Structure formats: C-alpha cells, structure tokens
Amino acid sequence: MSNENKTLSARQATAMILPEDEVLAAQFRERLHKLIASGNHVTMSISPNIEAKVCLEFNTGNRSLNETVIKRYASDMRRNHWLNSGEPIIFSQEGILNDGQHRLYACIEAGVPFVADLRFGIDRSAFTEIIGQGTNR
C-alpha cells in the first residue's frame, strides 16, 4: 500500500460514525436525504462528530484528498479564523457530495464545528464539467 493510500485509509477512518453517535447521525442522514430531494439550500453549523461525517458518506467520485489543504483549513478552524465565505458544500441531484470534502475532513481533524451553506440538487454534470476544471477529479 502506498503512503497516499495509507493516508487516505487513515483519513477515511476518522470519518466513521461512532456507535454512540449513530442515533443522531441517522436523524441527520434522514434530514439530508430530504434536503437533497428538495433542491433547496440551508446555512447550518456542521459538527465534527455528526454532520461532517454523515455528509462524507455521500462523498463518491471526488478528487484525491490534499492533506496540506485539510491541515491548513483545520488550523484555521481550531484558531477560530474560519469564516463562512458563502461558498457552499454542494450535493448533486443524485445525492453525491460534489464539493466540500476538504472542509468536512478539516472539521473532523480540528474537532470544532463550523458554519457553512449547503446547496442541494445541483446537476452532477455541471460540477464535473465546469467546477474545478484545473484540478483532477
């Protein structure tokens, strides 16, 4: 296993829901499914133990994680230097996390919540063809 795969596996392990959090996670998971179906948007606090981890369950087909970015974001979150810029965490119509994986992993690493806008029902093809064209996915 390469170092990158070891890091990714270790990073993914941090996103596992703990048994004692499963009831709250199931409630948020249900809310998230309804929001995805609605195509609406919300602004909410993302906690590291529930919301961030549940959102990452929808993380399929995204580019590789950049550990440097995660660590920088986590440091900003820990020092309370993270601001909601209005750039949303985006979910596709199909329920795939289109954008936001680095912020969510940073939240888990930092161990502190952050406020974010979440958008739902965005066409996946618009994301894969337009957003982040300069970065491999």
PDB file of all heavy atoms in Angstrom, residues 98-132:
ATOM      1  N   ASN A  98     -20.722  16.907  -4.137  1.00  0.00           N
ATOM      2  CA  ASN A  98     -19.980  17.478  -5.265  1.00  0.00           C
ATOM      3  C   ASN A  98     -18.779  18.291  -4.808  1.00  0.00           C
ATOM      4  O   ASN A  98     -17.743  18.287  -5.453  1.00  0.00           O
ATOM      5  CB  ASN A  98     -20.880  18.400  -6.097  1.00  0.00           C
ATOM      6  CG  ASN A  98     -21.775  17.665  -7.047  1.00  0.00           C
ATOM      7  OD1 ASN A  98     -21.702  16.457  -7.204  1.00  0.00           O
ATOM      8  ND2 ASN A  98     -22.654  18.412  -7.703  1.00  0.00           N
ATOM      9  N   ASP A  99     -18.929  19.035  -3.734  1.00  0.00           N
ATOM     10  CA  ASP A  99     -17.872  19.945  -3.305  1.00  0.00           C
ATOM     11  C   ASP A  99     -17.947  20.120  -1.802  1.00  0.00           C
ATOM     12  O   ASP A  99     -19.036  20.272  -1.248  1.00  0.00           O
ATOM     13  CB  ASP A  99     -18.050  21.306  -3.999  1.00  0.00           C
ATOM     14  CG  ASP A  99     -16.850  22.210  -3.862  1.00  0.00           C
ATOM     15  OD1 ASP A  99     -15.743  21.707  -3.623  1.00  0.00           O
ATOM     16  OD2 ASP A  99     -17.018  23.433  -3.987  1.00  0.00           O
ATOM     17  N   GLY A 100     -16.775  20.085  -1.143  1.00  0.00           N
ATOM     18  CA  GLY A 100     -16.731  20.338   0.290  1.00  0.00           C
ATOM     19  C   GLY A 100     -15.974  19.297   1.098  1.00  0.00           C
ATOM     20  O   GLY A 100     -15.861  19.433   2.311  1.00  0.00           O
ATOM     21  N   GLN A 101     -15.427  18.271   0.446  1.00  0.00           N
ATOM     22  CA  GLN A 101     -14.783  17.195   1.205  1.00  0.00           C
ATOM     23  C   GLN A 101     -13.620  17.688   2.064  1.00  0.00           C
ATOM     24  O   GLN A 101     -13.451  17.233   3.199  1.00  0.00           O
ATOM     25  CB  GLN A 101     -14.336  16.060   0.284  1.00  0.00           C
ATOM     26  CG  GLN A 101     -13.193  16.404  -0.642  1.00  0.00           C
ATOM     27  CD  GLN A 101     -12.715  15.196  -1.449  1.00  0.00           C
ATOM     28  OE1 GLN A 101     -13.088  14.065  -1.175  1.00  0.00           O
ATOM     29  NE2 GLN A 101     -11.881  15.449  -2.439  1.00  0.00           N
ATOM     30  N   HIS A 102     -12.837  18.631   1.576  1.00  0.00           N
ATOM     31  CA  HIS A 102     -11.695  19.113   2.356  1.00  0.00           C
ATOM     32  C   HIS A 102     -12.154  19.878   3.596  1.00  0.00           C
ATOM     33  O   HIS A 102     -11.580  19.724   4.680  1.00  0.00           O
ATOM     34  CB  HIS A 102     -10.766  19.969   1.482  1.00  0.00           C
ATOM     35  CG  HIS A 102     -10.015  19.153   0.488  1.00  0.00           C
ATOM     36  ND1 HIS A 102     -10.515  18.893  -0.767  1.00  0.00           N
ATOM     37  CD2 HIS A 102      -8.826  18.520   0.575  1.00  0.00           C
ATOM     38  CE1 HIS A 102      -9.643  18.122  -1.414  1.00  0.00           C
ATOM     39  NE2 HIS A 102      -8.618  17.889  -0.624  1.00  0.00           N
ATOM     40  N   ARG A 103     -13.201  20.673   3.463  1.00  0.00           N
ATOM     41  CA  ARG A 103     -13.743  21.395   4.622  1.00  0.00           C
ATOM     42  C   ARG A 103     -14.299  20.424   5.652  1.00  0.00           C
ATOM     43  O   ARG A 103     -14.125  20.600   6.865  1.00  0.00           O
ATOM     44  CB  ARG A 103     -14.824  22.382   4.174  1.00  0.00           C
ATOM     45  CG  ARG A 103     -14.259  23.608   3.476  1.00  0.00           C
ATOM     46  CD  ARG A 103     -15.341  24.441   2.839  1.00  0.00           C
ATOM     47  NE  ARG A 103     -15.654  23.843   1.534  1.00  0.00           N
ATOM     48  CZ  ARG A 103     -16.686  24.195   0.781  1.00  0.00           C
ATOM     49  NH1 ARG A 103     -17.526  25.122   1.190  1.00  0.00           N
ATOM     50  NH2 ARG A 103     -16.883  23.620  -0.384  1.00  0.00           N
ATOM     51  N   LEU A 104     -14.980  19.376   5.190  1.00  0.00           N
ATOM     52  CA  LEU A 104     -15.574  18.411   6.114  1.00  0.00           C
ATOM     53  C   LEU A 104     -14.510  17.610   6.851  1.00  0.00           C
ATOM     54  O   LEU A 104     -14.602  17.416   8.064  1.00  0.00           O
ATOM     55  CB  LEU A 104     -16.533  17.500   5.351  1.00  0.00           C
ATOM     56  CG  LEU A 104     -17.766  18.216   4.787  1.00  0.00           C
ATOM     57  CD1 LEU A 104     -18.483  17.342   3.770  1.00  0.00           C
ATOM     58  CD2 LEU A 104     -18.711  18.639   5.900  1.00  0.00           C
ATOM     59  N   TYR A 105     -13.498  17.143   6.134  1.00  0.00           N
ATOM     60  CA  TYR A 105     -12.401  16.434   6.805  1.00  0.00           C
ATOM     61  C   TYR A 105     -11.648  17.361   7.756  1.00  0.00           C
ATOM     62  O   TYR A 105     -11.210  16.943   8.830  1.00  0.00           O
ATOM     63  CB  TYR A 105     -11.435  15.810   5.796  1.00  0.00           C
ATOM     64  CG  TYR A 105     -11.903  14.471   5.273  1.00  0.00           C
ATOM     65  CD1 TYR A 105     -12.270  14.308   3.947  1.00  0.00           C
ATOM     66  CD2 TYR A 105     -11.960  13.352   6.109  1.00  0.00           C
ATOM     67  CE1 TYR A 105     -12.691  13.076   3.461  1.00  0.00           C
ATOM     68  CE2 TYR A 105     -12.383  12.115   5.633  1.00  0.00           C
ATOM     69  CZ  TYR A 105     -12.734  11.981   4.313  1.00  0.00           C
ATOM     70  OH  TYR A 105     -13.160  10.759   3.842  1.00  0.00           O
ATOM     71  N   ALA A 106     -11.485  18.623   7.396  1.00  0.00           N
ATOM     72  CA  ALA A 106     -10.812  19.591   8.269  1.00  0.00           C
ATOM     73  C   ALA A 106     -11.602  19.791   9.557  1.00  0.00           C
ATOM     74  O   ALA A 106     -11.023  19.899  10.639  1.00  0.00           O
ATOM     75  CB  ALA A 106     -10.617  20.919   7.546  1.00  0.00           C
ATOM     76  N   CYS A 107     -12.901  19.830   9.453  1.00  0.00           N
ATOM     77  CA  CYS A 107     -13.768  19.967  10.625  1.00  0.00           C
ATOM     78  C   CYS A 107     -13.547  18.803  11.586  1.00  0.00           C
ATOM     79  O   CYS A 107     -13.410  18.994  12.800  1.00  0.00           O
ATOM     80  CB  CYS A 107     -15.228  20.032  10.169  1.00  0.00           C
ATOM     81  SG  CYS A 107     -16.448  20.020  11.483  1.00  0.00           S
ATOM     82  N   ILE A 108     -13.476  17.598  11.030  1.00  0.00           N
ATOM     83  CA  ILE A 108     -13.241  16.414  11.867  1.00  0.00           C
ATOM     84  C   ILE A 108     -11.870  16.500  12.513  1.00  0.00           C
ATOM     85  O   ILE A 108     -11.719  16.258  13.710  1.00  0.00           O
ATOM     86  CB  ILE A 108     -13.392  15.127  11.024  1.00  0.00           C
ATOM     87  CG1 ILE A 108     -14.846  14.972  10.566  1.00  0.00           C
ATOM     88  CG2 ILE A 108     -12.931  13.903  11.823  1.00  0.00           C
ATOM     89  CD1 ILE A 108     -15.051  13.917   9.490  1.00  0.00           C
ATOM     90  N   GLU A 109     -10.859  16.844  11.728  1.00  0.00           N
ATOM     91  CA  GLU A 109      -9.498  16.944  12.271  1.00  0.00           C
ATOM     92  C   GLU A 109      -9.404  18.021  13.351  1.00  0.00           C
ATOM     93  O   GLU A 109      -8.770  17.823  14.382  1.00  0.00           O
ATOM     94  CB  GLU A 109      -8.488  17.233  11.166  1.00  0.00           C
ATOM     95  CG  GLU A 109      -7.074  17.299  11.693  1.00  0.00           C
ATOM     96  CD  GLU A 109      -6.025  17.291  10.614  1.00  0.00           C
ATOM     97  OE1 GLU A 109      -6.105  16.453   9.706  1.00  0.00           O
ATOM     98  OE2 GLU A 109      -5.115  18.130  10.699  1.00  0.00           O
ATOM     99  N   ALA A 110     -10.052  19.155  13.115  1.00  0.00           N
ATOM    100  CA  ALA A 110      -9.997  20.261  14.075  1.00  0.00           C
ATOM    101  C   ALA A 110     -10.800  19.960  15.340  1.00  0.00           C
ATOM    102  O   ALA A 110     -10.492  20.479  16.412  1.00  0.00           O
ATOM    103  CB  ALA A 110     -10.504  21.550  13.426  1.00  0.00           C
ATOM    104  N   GLY A 111     -11.846  19.151  15.187  1.00  0.00           N
ATOM    105  CA  GLY A 111     -12.680  18.828  16.337  1.00  0.00           C
ATOM    106  C   GLY A 111     -13.593  19.960  16.759  1.00  0.00           C
ATOM    107  O   GLY A 111     -14.061  19.981  17.893  1.00  0.00           O
ATOM    108  N   VAL A 112     -13.837  20.885  15.851  1.00  0.00           N
ATOM    109  CA  VAL A 112     -14.720  22.014  16.153  1.00  0.00           C
ATOM    110  C   VAL A 112     -15.739  22.180  15.024  1.00  0.00           C
ATOM    111  O   VAL A 112     -15.450  21.883  13.876  1.00  0.00           O
ATOM    112  CB  VAL A 112     -13.939  23.334  16.345  1.00  0.00           C
ATOM    113  CG1 VAL A 112     -13.001  23.231  17.545  1.00  0.00           C
ATOM    114  CG2 VAL A 112     -13.162  23.708  15.107  1.00  0.00           C
ATOM    115  N   PRO A 113     -16.929  22.687  15.358  1.00  0.00           N
ATOM    116  CA  PRO A 113     -17.925  22.923  14.305  1.00  0.00           C
ATOM    117  C   PRO A 113     -17.594  24.173  13.491  1.00  0.00           C
ATOM    118  O   PRO A 113     -16.803  25.016  13.921  1.00  0.00           O
ATOM    119  CB  PRO A 113     -19.226  23.113  15.089  1.00  0.00           C
ATOM    120  CG  PRO A 113     -18.797  23.578  16.436  1.00  0.00           C
ATOM    121  CD  PRO A 113     -17.432  22.987  16.689  1.00  0.00           C
ATOM    122  N   PHE A 114     -18.194  24.251  12.317  1.00  0.00           N
ATOM    123  CA  PHE A 114     -18.091  25.465  11.503  1.00  0.00           C
ATOM    124  C   PHE A 114     -19.424  25.693  10.813  1.00  0.00           C
ATOM    125  O   PHE A 114     -20.221  24.769  10.635  1.00  0.00           O
ATOM    126  CB  PHE A 114     -16.932  25.379  10.490  1.00  0.00           C
ATOM    127  CG  PHE A 114     -17.172  24.458   9.318  1.00  0.00           C
ATOM    128  CD1 PHE A 114     -17.462  24.975   8.062  1.00  0.00           C
ATOM    129  CD2 PHE A 114     -17.084  23.084   9.455  1.00  0.00           C
ATOM    130  CE1 PHE A 114     -17.666  24.150   6.978  1.00  0.00           C
ATOM    131  CE2 PHE A 114     -17.284  22.243   8.382  1.00  0.00           C
ATOM    132  CZ  PHE A 114     -17.571  22.776   7.133  1.00  0.00           C
ATOM    133  N   VAL A 115     -19.699  26.945  10.465  1.00  0.00           N
ATOM    134  CA  VAL A 115     -20.941  27.305   9.788  1.00  0.00           C
ATOM    135  C   VAL A 115     -20.698  27.272   8.286  1.00  0.00           C
ATOM    136  O   VAL A 115     -19.695  27.792   7.791  1.00  0.00           O
ATOM    137  CB  VAL A 115     -21.441  28.696  10.232  1.00  0.00           C
ATOM    138  CG1 VAL A 115     -22.653  29.125   9.421  1.00  0.00           C
ATOM    139  CG2 VAL A 115     -21.762  28.677  11.719  1.00  0.00           C
ATOM    140  N   ALA A 116     -21.628  26.642   7.567  1.00  0.00           N
ATOM    141  CA  ALA A 116     -21.490  26.536   6.114  1.00  0.00           C
ATOM    142  C   ALA A 116     -22.851  26.607   5.458  1.00  0.00           C
ATOM    143  O   ALA A 116     -23.872  26.260   6.054  1.00  0.00           O
ATOM    144  CB  ALA A 116     -20.814  25.220   5.740  1.00  0.00           C
ATOM    145  N   ASP A 117     -22.839  27.075   4.228  1.00  0.00           N
ATOM    146  CA  ASP A 117     -24.016  26.999   3.377  1.00  0.00           C
ATOM    147  C   ASP A 117     -23.985  25.639   2.692  1.00  0.00           C
ATOM    148  O   ASP A 117     -22.919  25.180   2.270  1.00  0.00           O
ATOM    149  CB  ASP A 117     -23.995  28.104   2.314  1.00  0.00           C
ATOM    150  CG  ASP A 117     -24.064  29.492   2.932  1.00  0.00           C
ATOM    151  OD1 ASP A 117     -24.781  29.655   3.937  1.00  0.00           O
ATOM    152  OD2 ASP A 117     -23.405  30.398   2.422  1.00  0.00           O
ATOM    153  N   LEU A 118     -25.129  24.989   2.582  1.00  0.00           N
ATOM    154  CA  LEU A 118     -25.238  23.720   1.873  1.00  0.00           C
ATOM    155  C   LEU A 118     -26.258  23.894   0.760  1.00  0.00           C
ATOM    156  O   LEU A 118     -27.345  24.441   0.992  1.00  0.00           O
ATOM    157  CB  LEU A 118     -25.683  22.589   2.809  1.00  0.00           C
ATOM    158  CG  LEU A 118     -24.631  22.012   3.751  1.00  0.00           C
ATOM    159  CD1 LEU A 118     -24.324  22.951   4.890  1.00  0.00           C
ATOM    160  CD2 LEU A 118     -25.085  20.675   4.289  1.00  0.00           C
ATOM    161  N   ARG A 119     -25.888  23.469  -0.447  1.00  0.00           N
ATOM    162  CA  ARG A 119     -26.780  23.528  -1.617  1.00  0.00           C
ATOM    163  C   ARG A 119     -27.094  22.116  -2.059  1.00  0.00           C
ATOM    164  O   ARG A 119     -26.218  21.258  -2.051  1.00  0.00           O
ATOM    165  CB  ARG A 119     -26.108  24.271  -2.768  1.00  0.00           C
ATOM    166  CG  ARG A 119     -25.857  25.755  -2.553  1.00  0.00           C
ATOM    167  CD  ARG A 119     -27.126  26.584  -2.568  1.00  0.00           C
ATOM    168  NE  ARG A 119     -28.004  26.287  -3.675  1.00  0.00           N
ATOM    169  CZ  ARG A 119     -28.148  27.031  -4.764  1.00  0.00           C
ATOM    170  NH1 ARG A 119     -27.473  28.146  -4.883  1.00  0.00           N
ATOM    171  NH2 ARG A 119     -28.978  26.678  -5.712  1.00  0.00           N
ATOM    172  N   PHE A 120     -28.324  21.907  -2.477  1.00  0.00           N
ATOM    173  CA  PHE A 120     -28.790  20.568  -2.836  1.00  0.00           C
ATOM    174  C   PHE A 120     -29.416  20.564  -4.224  1.00  0.00           C
ATOM    175  O   PHE A 120     -29.997  21.559  -4.652  1.00  0.00           O
ATOM    176  CB  PHE A 120     -29.825  20.080  -1.811  1.00  0.00           C
ATOM    177  CG  PHE A 120     -29.288  20.094  -0.407  1.00  0.00           C
ATOM    178  CD1 PHE A 120     -29.515  21.175   0.418  1.00  0.00           C
ATOM    179  CD2 PHE A 120     -28.538  19.038   0.055  1.00  0.00           C
ATOM    180  CE1 PHE A 120     -29.009  21.204   1.705  1.00  0.00           C
ATOM    181  CE2 PHE A 120     -28.020  19.058   1.345  1.00  0.00           C
ATOM    182  CZ  PHE A 120     -28.264  20.135   2.171  1.00  0.00           C
ATOM    183  N   GLY A 121     -29.293  19.422  -4.901  1.00  0.00           N
ATOM    184  CA  GLY A 121     -29.966  19.242  -6.183  1.00  0.00           C
ATOM    185  C   GLY A 121     -29.236  19.827  -7.371  1.00  0.00           C
ATOM    186  O   GLY A 121     -29.824  20.048  -8.419  1.00  0.00           O
ATOM    187  N   ILE A 122     -27.939  20.060  -7.238  1.00  0.00           N
ATOM    188  CA  ILE A 122     -27.151  20.613  -8.334  1.00  0.00           C
ATOM    189  C   ILE A 122     -26.815  19.479  -9.303  1.00  0.00           C
ATOM    190  O   ILE A 122     -26.413  18.392  -8.882  1.00  0.00           O
ATOM    191  CB  ILE A 122     -25.857  21.279  -7.808  1.00  0.00           C
ATOM    192  CG1 ILE A 122     -26.171  22.321  -6.733  1.00  0.00           C
ATOM    193  CG2 ILE A 122     -25.038  21.866  -8.944  1.00  0.00           C
ATOM    194  CD1 ILE A 122     -27.087  23.441  -7.180  1.00  0.00           C
ATOM    195  N   ASP A 123     -26.957  19.733 -10.586  1.00  0.00           N
ATOM    196  CA  ASP A 123     -26.687  18.720 -11.603  1.00  0.00           C
ATOM    197  C   ASP A 123     -25.230  18.267 -11.507  1.00  0.00           C
ATOM    198  O   ASP A 123     -24.315  19.084 -11.551  1.00  0.00           O
ATOM    199  CB  ASP A 123     -26.979  19.307 -12.984  1.00  0.00           C
ATOM    200  CG  ASP A 123     -26.949  18.270 -14.075  1.00  0.00           C
ATOM    201  OD1 ASP A 123     -25.954  17.527 -14.159  1.00  0.00           O
ATOM    202  OD2 ASP A 123     -27.914  18.210 -14.848  1.00  0.00           O
ATOM    203  N   ARG A 124     -25.006  16.985 -11.396  1.00  0.00           N
ATOM    204  CA  ARG A 124     -23.645  16.445 -11.262  1.00  0.00           C
ATOM    205  C   ARG A 124     -22.787  16.780 -12.479  1.00  0.00           C
ATOM    206  O   ARG A 124     -21.604  17.062 -12.352  1.00  0.00           O
ATOM    207  CB  ARG A 124     -23.712  14.924 -11.052  1.00  0.00           C
ATOM    208  CG  ARG A 124     -22.365  14.237 -10.921  1.00  0.00           C
ATOM    209  CD  ARG A 124     -21.729  14.484  -9.590  1.00  0.00           C
ATOM    210  NE  ARG A 124     -20.450  13.763  -9.509  1.00  0.00           N
ATOM    211  CZ  ARG A 124     -19.518  14.033  -8.636  1.00  0.00           C
ATOM    212  NH1 ARG A 124     -19.693  14.983  -7.742  1.00  0.00           N
ATOM    213  NH2 ARG A 124     -18.403  13.358  -8.613  1.00  0.00           N
ATOM    214  N   SER A 125     -23.375  16.746 -13.668  1.00  0.00           N
ATOM    215  CA  SER A 125     -22.578  17.018 -14.873  1.00  0.00           C
ATOM    216  C   SER A 125     -22.090  18.460 -14.899  1.00  0.00           C
ATOM    217  O   SER A 125     -21.003  18.743 -15.395  1.00  0.00           O
ATOM    218  CB  SER A 125     -23.370  16.699 -16.138  1.00  0.00           C
ATOM    219  OG  SER A 125     -24.466  17.572 -16.272  1.00  0.00           O
ATOM    220  N   ALA A 126     -22.856  19.382 -14.333  1.00  0.00           N
ATOM    221  CA  ALA A 126     -22.401  20.779 -14.264  1.00  0.00           C
ATOM    222  C   ALA A 126     -21.154  20.865 -13.397  1.00  0.00           C
ATOM    223  O   ALA A 126     -20.230  21.617 -13.677  1.00  0.00           O
ATOM    224  CB  ALA A 126     -23.495  21.681 -13.712  1.00  0.00           C
ATOM    225  N   PHE A 127     -21.125  20.075 -12.360  1.00  0.00           N
ATOM    226  CA  PHE A 127     -19.985  20.080 -11.458  1.00  0.00           C
ATOM    227  C   PHE A 127     -18.758  19.455 -12.116  1.00  0.00           C
ATOM    228  O   PHE A 127     -17.680  20.011 -12.077  1.00  0.00           O
ATOM    229  CB  PHE A 127     -20.338  19.318 -10.176  1.00  0.00           C
ATOM    230  CG  PHE A 127     -19.201  19.198  -9.221  1.00  0.00           C
ATOM    231  CD1 PHE A 127     -18.789  20.281  -8.476  1.00  0.00           C
ATOM    232  CD2 PHE A 127     -18.523  18.004  -9.077  1.00  0.00           C
ATOM    233  CE1 PHE A 127     -17.736  20.182  -7.599  1.00  0.00           C
ATOM    234  CE2 PHE A 127     -17.469  17.895  -8.191  1.00  0.00           C
ATOM    235  CZ  PHE A 127     -17.080  18.988  -7.453  1.00  0.00           C
ATOM    236  N   THR A 128     -18.928  18.293 -12.715  1.00  0.00           N
ATOM    237  CA  THR A 128     -17.771  17.596 -13.276  1.00  0.00           C
ATOM    238  C   THR A 128     -17.240  18.264 -14.531  1.00  0.00           C
ATOM    239  O   THR A 128     -16.069  18.125 -14.859  1.00  0.00           O
ATOM    240  CB  THR A 128     -18.107  16.123 -13.587  1.00  0.00           C
ATOM    241  OG1 THR A 128     -19.228  16.076 -14.481  1.00  0.00           O
ATOM    242  CG2 THR A 128     -18.415  15.351 -12.320  1.00  0.00           C
ATOM    243  N   GLU A 129     -18.077  19.028 -15.219  1.00  0.00           N
ATOM    244  CA  GLU A 129     -17.641  19.675 -16.452  1.00  0.00           C
ATOM    245  C   GLU A 129     -17.198  21.118 -16.256  1.00  0.00           C
ATOM    246  O   GLU A 129     -16.456  21.651 -17.057  1.00  0.00           O
ATOM    247  CB  GLU A 129     -18.769  19.628 -17.490  1.00  0.00           C
ATOM    248  CG  GLU A 129     -19.095  18.209 -17.926  1.00  0.00           C
ATOM    249  CD  GLU A 129     -20.312  18.136 -18.815  1.00  0.00           C
ATOM    250  OE1 GLU A 129     -20.715  19.162 -19.390  1.00  0.00           O
ATOM    251  OE2 GLU A 129     -20.868  17.037 -18.916  1.00  0.00           O
ATOM    252  N   ILE A 130     -17.642  21.782 -15.160  1.00  0.00           N
ATOM    253  CA  ILE A 130     -17.379  23.212 -15.006  1.00  0.00           C
ATOM    254  C   ILE A 130     -16.524  23.525 -13.792  1.00  0.00           C
ATOM    255  O   ILE A 130     -15.499  24.166 -13.890  1.00  0.00           O
ATOM    256  CB  ILE A 130     -18.710  23.996 -14.925  1.00  0.00           C
ATOM    257  CG1 ILE A 130     -19.492  23.824 -16.219  1.00  0.00           C
ATOM    258  CG2 ILE A 130     -18.447  25.466 -14.641  1.00  0.00           C
ATOM    259  CD1 ILE A 130     -20.902  24.348 -16.159  1.00  0.00           C
ATOM    260  N   ILE A 131     -16.921  23.073 -12.620  1.00  0.00           N
ATOM    261  CA  ILE A 131     -16.249  23.441 -11.379  1.00  0.00           C
ATOM    262  C   ILE A 131     -14.914  22.711 -11.260  1.00  0.00           C
ATOM    263  O   ILE A 131     -14.822  21.520 -11.518  1.00  0.00           O
ATOM    264  CB  ILE A 131     -17.128  23.099 -10.147  1.00  0.00           C
ATOM    265  CG1 ILE A 131     -18.405  23.917 -10.201  1.00  0.00           C
ATOM    266  CG2 ILE A 131     -16.387  23.356  -8.839  1.00  0.00           C
ATOM    267  CD1 ILE A 131     -19.398  23.588  -9.135  1.00  0.00           C
ATOM    268  N   GLY A 132     -13.891  23.418 -10.870  1.00  0.00           N
ATOM    269  CA  GLY A 132     -12.595  22.813 -10.604  1.00  0.00           C
ATOM    270  C   GLY A 132     -11.941  22.211 -11.825  1.00  0.00           C
ATOM    271  O   GLY A 132     -11.247  21.214 -11.725  1.00  0.00           O
TER     272      GLY A 132
END
